[in-house]
Amino acid sequence: MTLADQSARDAIARDLDINLMVEAAAGTGKTTSLVTRAVELIRTGRCKIDTLAAITFTVKAAAQLRERLQEALERQASGLGARAAVEQGRIDRALHNLDRALIGTTHAFCARMLRERPVESSIDPDFEELDETETRLLMEEFWSRWFEAQAIGGSEQLRAVRETAVKPWLLRNAFFRLVDYADVEIVSTPCGRPDLRAAVDAVVAFLAKCEPCFPTSGMRVKEDDFEKMMRELVRKRDTKDLGETLDQLEFLEAGDHASRKPTQKNWPDGKHAKQLGIEYSDIVRNLVRPTLRRWREYVHCVVIDFLSPAVKAFEEERLRNGTLTFNDLLLRARDLLRDHPGVRRYFQRRFTHVLVDEFQDTDPIQAEVLFYLTGEEVEERNWRRLTPRPGSLFIVGDPKQSIYRFRRADITTYLTVKERIEKTHGRVEILTANFRSVGPLCAFVNETFPRLFLEDDVSKGRQARHIDLDAQSEGVAHCGVYALEIADGRYEGVAEEEARRVAQWIRRAVQSGLIVDDGGEQRPAQYGDFLLISERKARLSAYARALEEEGIRFEVTGGEAFAKSEELRDVLPLLRAVADPDDAIALAAFLRGPFCGASDDALYRFVKLGGKFAAYREIPEGADPAIVAGLGIVKESLGFARDLPAAAAIARIFDRLGLTAFAATREQGGTRAGNTLLALALARRESASGSGFARIVDRLGDLLESDARVEEMNVDPAAENVVRLMNLHQVKGLEAPVVFLIDPAESFEHEPDIFVDRSGEVSRGYVAIRERKRDIALPENWDALAAEESAFQRAEHNRLLYVAATRAKSILVAGVRIKQGQRRGVWSVLAGSAKPIFDVGQSERGAAAVGEGSGFEAARVEIERRREVARHASYSVLPITKIAHGSHEELVRAEEGLGKGTSWGRVLHRLFEGMLRNDALDIRRFAANLLKDEERDAVELEEVIRVVEAVQQSDLWRRAKSADERYVEVPFALQVPRREAGIDEDGATLLHGTIDLVFRERGQWFVVDYKSDATKNRLDALVRYYTPQVEHYARFWQRLTGVPTRAGLFFVDGCIESWT
Amino acid sequence: MIADRLAAACREHPLREKILVVPSLAIGHQIADAVAFGGTPWVNLRMETVRTISDAVAGFDLAGRGFTVLSRAQALAVIERACDRVLDESSYFAALLGRPGLYRAIQRSVDDLRHAGVNPEAIPKGAFEDERKARDLGLIIGAYERELRDRKFVDRCGVISRAIELAGQGTWSRDALWFVLDEIELTNLEKRLLDAIGAGTILSISAGNHDAARPPLEVEFARAVGEENELRGALRAAVTLDEAEVVYTSRDPYLSLAYELTSEYAIPATFAEGIAAPFTRPGQAAIGFLDWLGDDYNTTHLQRIARSGALRTPEAVPPAVFARLLRASMIGWGRDRYVPRLEASITEVERALEESESESRSEWLTKEIERRREALNVAQSLLEIGAIESLPGAALAFVDRFAATRNEIDGMALAALRRLLQELAALEEPAAHGERARDPKDIDRLIEAIAATHVAASNPRPGHLHVTSMRAGGWSGRKRMFLVGLDDTRHPGAGLQDPVVLDEERRNINSSIGPGQLDLLGDQPARNAARLARLIERAGAARWTVSYADVDLRDRRARFPSKDLLELFRAARHESDARYDALVAGSTVEGFLEDRAPLSESEWWLGQRFVRGRQDLRPELWSAYPWLAQGERARQARATDEITAWDGRIDVSPVDIDPRCTGRVYSASQMERMARCPFGWFVERVLHIQPVEELLRVDDRWLDNRQFGVLVHEVLQETMEEICANGETPSHAAHVGRMRAIGETALLQWRSEVPPATESAFARQRDELFAASDVFLRTEEQRCAEVEPKFFEAPFGMPKAQASSIGMIEPLVIPLGAGTSVKLRGQIDRVDRDRHTGNWQVWDYKTGSLYEYREEWRLRRGTKLQHVIYTRALTEMLRGRGLPGSVDCAGYYFPTSKGDGARIARECAPGELEHALNLLFDVIGSGWFPLPDDGKCDFCDFRGLCGNPEEAKEGMARKQTANANDPAVMAWRRLQEVG
Ligand code: SF4
């Protein structure tokens, strides 16, 4: 059967010299088309694997693409046969060099370009790529430093900002925001400082009129809002200097409430009061508010003037220090290509063909990079004017799935690129054949989205046009769209109820063997077939709980329960008390906490007995057992912290305390225990980067207390065939036979605080600064801009719905609330008039299994035993000296006699070795070098020479020199039974040693060991001590050579020989 | 196998010297041991590396001529200077001058060129992307070599070159049988050295047959949940440690993870690459010291290393005590604060000693003085060391004197760090003139250098697991091999180009100079793949487990198997077209859940719970960890309806606790605290638990709220006193200047106590103080038309009342019926007198927000008592002094910008105070200390201790309801009704 979009698919594989943009709707095979294109480019010899660049949206997608490309190439290789030897060669080479293909995210790709050409980008080639947390930290650190420098340097701009009374933390947040949008020109309109006087005067005049009419204490229970405001204004009038702008501002802001009305019965003259209220509202609307708006526009301009240099300075500093944010990678790579034609040419040679996936969601800068990489005109700096070389660019995307506006992605960019490709002889191909969803689901999408993708939005470039999906499978009985209806109620209650229903339904569906359509294959459902998607993360945990309750295994992506982990929060005091034994609060908190359970009464008695909340203090007699146990744990933990690397110490503390075990046995134990394990994993990571115990504890505290979002972990993250649970922004590329759209709260519209207009040559950003709901600084004409941004966001919201609706293969269930008979909530547009979800039987869940288990005590013993066994040495290696000299003590005693330290002995040994190896040796020079090498005093040279001269005169030396055969410094090794080496165990040991000198004379070997000890008065003792060692040598030598061997000691001091 | 072939050689030439050239001595020793273990005793078998050979050949010659061999780190410093000297604006590399990465890259390239024997002058210009590169490189190498020559330095390359020369002259020869392990990867220069000494007699000998990458006989595949489980899998399967070896593809993160895990499970292990210095005490100490220098001498860093045991101090002041003293003397940060603050802390104790009356206390104080003096000495030495101009020099002096060592590894680390720091210090050039500000980047770089130092590298040892890298692995002859890290990010690597000499340029150079001289970096992955093949080959007889981590635990990112892993899988399974999903499916999973061989107690429990599905573990858990059982008991107690000993109830006699019985004098603010949160009062006043007092550096804040309040108080007080003493009435115009001057003095005073972290934070609070001054004076100006300010600070129940013109030394006694009473002390901020009526007003300054004062209340559940207590006190005082008029107004005064100068007067009916106090004391006296009912508290240090009040709220309410007839609960509830 030919597909309706067959011609488009053919073009992908055929029109290799034409730039293509493929609009691939959901489920139409994006990656396949990318792989097809790549294989064809290689097979036809247009591109070598080294010059291919494929850019994906995530690291994961990159890895998958690489795998698929390899497999496709392998299929080609085996399918080509002999008919195309040239092609075979190309494919083989590609497979062999697959590692050279550049397949990765834009960021990885840009980073690679920067590392390759750092000079032109003026960036340290070893630059560091900061992740979000690191960026945040660096930003904060820079900001305080920079701000401080401005303050000390008496900056004019700072003075101006101070005179607007904008709070420093608002400035800081605005700064962070601007850093995110460094590629955008932030618009600020210069304007003069507005005069607030007229508005102030009007309010003061009104106060004069109003004040005499104020209610008095006895008249009312409580001040009404209007009175409260008026009294505040009076106070301000009296204590502020209303000639000063800032005081004026404070005054006006206090009075900026048009809707506060007097409660008539409070006021002596209610009617008059009402009149006053109306009058005041007018003043606010006509005078106060417009004045404040002018003021905010003025503040905007002052603040942006102040912040822009900061953004610039921060950027320069990052470049200088080689610390690059994600954004920097793109921006700097863009600049590198844009500003250096030579480099552009170089990379155009390096990457002849660029393939891009998920283009609708990539950063706008990426579009520029792509055009610079492929554009023919290497001198042209404006990417919008570039013509990509024919066939060099292949882009896949789906504008209907563009959902990352909040992360800078912008549909405007997509549309611009599309237009440019068409204009430069490229083509847009559209894929519609959907291999994912069954007919009824495709029909549903085709019916719903043309309505939701408003024509007005499409024409204004805010929305993509819907294109009908062409289903490839008809599906089974139950497939289609359903609604799950929950009666409206309390916020959490609705989610909990829905969660319960969803979980039960899933369990029953699996138990009853509901048949699902899995891409054409029909089979009974398993847990892995279910995907639960929420719009936001907030209440995912309610669903997780419900699934657990039903005994269903699941996996949450992006759940944020880590920071809420009770066990970790509760163990923190213990860790803190260990990190800082003077921290009495932490210590007491641990004792009183859930791991120790000391009562308040016990604590009181402890203090009465003279106990102190300090880890190292003595525990008074008679203290409560809970406290004694707790302090015991603290002491043990201090020991771990002292003796073990930091993360290991924390792990041991957890283990000793029983923390993970405890977590595991509670409800949601999988996630609880998972989080303690995750904390340890994070600790290990910290420790590897050099942090000590205290710092790791601090970090852990930060993670738990700050808003740093760490994704929770389940104890079995590898579990397969589990229900998946995530939010809408994480479902990209995912699919499942059955999809539930959960959490039917209303969708939440953010009030915009930035609008970026990417339609022109230069992208412009308009930033509003707000303190919670209060406007602080606004760009000119903000209301219109905000409305435009909202329109963009609404269009994107509909695309999010599109993404949600197109994940399901056979069943889509939209959760809705029923309020006054109406379906409500974020998914209600999708639920439309869909039938309520069908029943899947009523099977009860089986009783929880109680497994067979061994006892803990036995396990503890077993763990110890296994460690013991593992540690047992299965072999041994011994230096002969160790077995020869009985006790160590004796050795120490003998060594006392050396007098000059072991290095003296080494100098002599090495010198004798040199002399015996090389007749021509310059002894003086060699000895001098040896002394230096052994870090000894050069004046010892003369002494060395005296010794050498004496030795040269000795009988032994003469014999050795004239021997038939001679070896010096001879290493040797042999394996002997352990018992032979004096070790009372079975098995073998390796003995090794070094013989100083061995020579053959008249058919007999002589083994000699030099000794540099002082011999005076102790020769006998030394001989006794050293003889066994040389005897060992001799025995070994004799065994090896089969020739009689004698052993001897040569004491350099006095040139004394001692033979056995 | 290599060992067999060497054994044969040993048998054939038993006595003759046999030399094997190996990549590292560590590998050589393992090979030699394997020969002997194989049953062939040997004699005169020696292992050499290119390095030992070149040292042996040229070492003494060079030393004799006065040359010093540079380490790589030292050579880098010379490269750096060479670059700085010869590169100018016209240079290609100019844009990157000063960036450390440039120097490292240039060092690598220069090494490559020198090792390849490429003379930069011979490189055709067109070989480079940018022609200037050739000139730049030529100049750099020239300058580099010149400095080496001039300062009598020689780098590795130089040693080898000299060795080649000498060997060529025949001055060095060794009558031996030479073998070269063909696994060794030699550069051109190194090959030439071997040629020169071996003169063609060297035999190449190989560990295996590399025609094809053959899989080992026995191999299993595993994928793991994170790298740590990959390693755990190995630790579990290593039944006998010294028969197992773990090989990693990439040092990071496996090496440190392996160290952490083996330490955690008390598994003895050897690490071929050693462990990173920061894992040792001297490493931690050195880094802490540098952090201290880099962070404006913030004591935190010293405290940390002292508490962790990394700092060595004299016996008289053990590290933990030193840490405590640093903190307690409120040094905070700043070089100049140490001596004065510590001296002040000594004086303080000296004064206490003078006043001390008890002998034991005096004894303790004398000791404490000694300790503090010693701490001062230590601090002074540290400051002196910190002032040493050379940074490595300072660090060296520091580790020498102050780094603690507790075990062998610490000792090795200390030695290694000393070597590193000595080397770096030796190369430093003295500053051109005088003091040089410390560059924070230098500190960072030194910390990096320390962190990169590895210590205690070891060969395999009996009874130990061996952990090693891919290059050094596979030589131990162990039976059980684990290869970890075969995901596609770690293996075979990306083949990043060398930015100094790009691959394209290398190709050009090679083709113009001769083939194959400079390696292409794009071939790096292929080389890694070959290394993997050789590794597996040489230990092909062992049983292998090869694995990768399929997820990064930190960010839950998925990871994927390397292509080579698939190849291995295909070969092992004889399925040449197996796909990735087959590999994934054919791999065992190593996760956190393991039932068979738990490594720790925790793992056993996880296995029982999740693998066996046991849900009956609780009783066993309680008996294994009795403290948890106790904790559970506490939890259950808190969950009951009873008010138990875990709900702030203690068993105490009223005599010990009820303010009506104890006879103690209480401050008015303590009473309020007691009423706001009895539990907090219990912790502070009964358990005597105090927060650690210390100066923390917070960039955007100088004084905390309480401190700022005191500052404002002081300034207001002093200003008013002065104005009134001069017989003037406050006026903004007349006094604002004076008030600011007073403010400036106070600011300075505070500044010396609490150094601001930033000037901007200081400036902000200064502005705030002045804004408060303005508000205050304006308010006073208006107000003083009506009233006359009379007294500022009117203490009662305190000795200092003696100096006051109105205060009273005796406490205020409030009779509470039935013969009981409570004694109170306090201090009234402000007493005014109405100009018309002659009556008196009492005001308490507040610098916080008006929030709580917006509601109408009289005593606010007993949490606002000051206005009544002060009224009573003033009445007493007036009576005592015989002053006419009554107190007819009392309240709170907000003389700040936030408070707009508002004055909020509150009154209450006679008897109401007594009523509230009696209720409060009925609660406290019963030994019950509840948390606030509404679960709302302001900032409180005990938040972590009392349990989350917000969460405790519900339980508290339930318990109160269930015990509505309990007298204490009744009293508490009635207290809550007091408006
Ligand atoms: S945090 Fe609140 S409840 Fe806890 S002790 Fe402090 S004031 Fe009391």
Side-chain angles (χ1 to χ4, degrees), chain B residues 709-773:
Chain B
V710 176
L711 166 64
V712 172
H713 254 78
E714 285 170 4
V715 174
L716 302 189
Q717 211 78 277
E718 192 177 337
T719 309
M720 276 314 271
E721 259 169 30
E722 196 180 293
I723 293 174
C724 296
N726 291 342
E728 297 168 329
T729 41
S731 124
H732 185 266
H735 298 120
V736 70
R738 182 59 201 141
M739 185 160 183
R740 287 194 176 208
I742 292 174
E744 294 285 13
T745 317
L747 284 166
L748 272 185
Q749 179 62 32
W750 272 91
R751 228 189 126 107
S752 73
E753 292 293 317
V754 183
T758 63
E759 285 308 318
S760 41
F762 175 77
R764 215 153 38 238
Q765 286 187 316
R766 180 171 173 271
D767 288 352
E768 225 178 291
L769 173 69
F770 291 159
S773 306

Side-chain angles (χ1 to χ4, degrees), chain A residues 437-503:
Chain A
S437 309
V438 294
L441 283 179
C442 289
F444 158 74
V445 169
N446 294 342
E447 194 264 318
T448 309
F449 285 91
R451 269 190 296 115
L452 287 179
F453 291 177
L454 305 176
E455 187 50 42
D456 181 47
D457 281 339
V458 175
S459 66
K460 296 218 170 85
R462 296 192 285 245
Q463 189 60 287
R465 192 178 301 284
H466 182 264
I467 291 164
D468 277 357
L469 297 175
D470 176 17
Q472 302 301 309
S473 154
E474 276 321 306
V476 287
H478 276 308
C479 62
V481 184
Y482 300 92
L484 175 59
E485 299 181 331
I486 304 291
D488 195 28
R490 198 169 48 92
Y491 215 43
E492 279 81 21
V494 171
E496 277 163 21
E497 172 62 11
E498 188 188 64
R500 204 179 49 75
R501 298 256 310 267
V502 170

Side-chain angles (χ1 to χ4, degrees), chain B residues 673 676-681 683 930-932 935-950:
Chain B
R673 164 80 159 142
R676 199 163 53 239
C677 175
F679 186 79
W681 179 83
V683 171
L931 307 182
K936 289 196 187 107
C937 352
D938 307 337
F939 177 77
C940 169
D941 290 315
F942 304 134
R943 224 161 223 296
L945 176 52
C946 64
N948 188 340
E950 187 64 46

Side-chain angles (χ1 to χ4, degrees), chain A residues 70 100 148 642 655 687 698, chain B residues 260 281 523 580 602 759:
Chain A
Q70 180 185 350
R100 296 186 185 210
E148 174 74 355
R642 195 185 50 227
D655 203 47
S687 167
D698 277 358
Chain B
E260 284 282 0
R281 282 179 189 81
D523 293 342
Y580 281 96
S602 303
E759 285 308 318

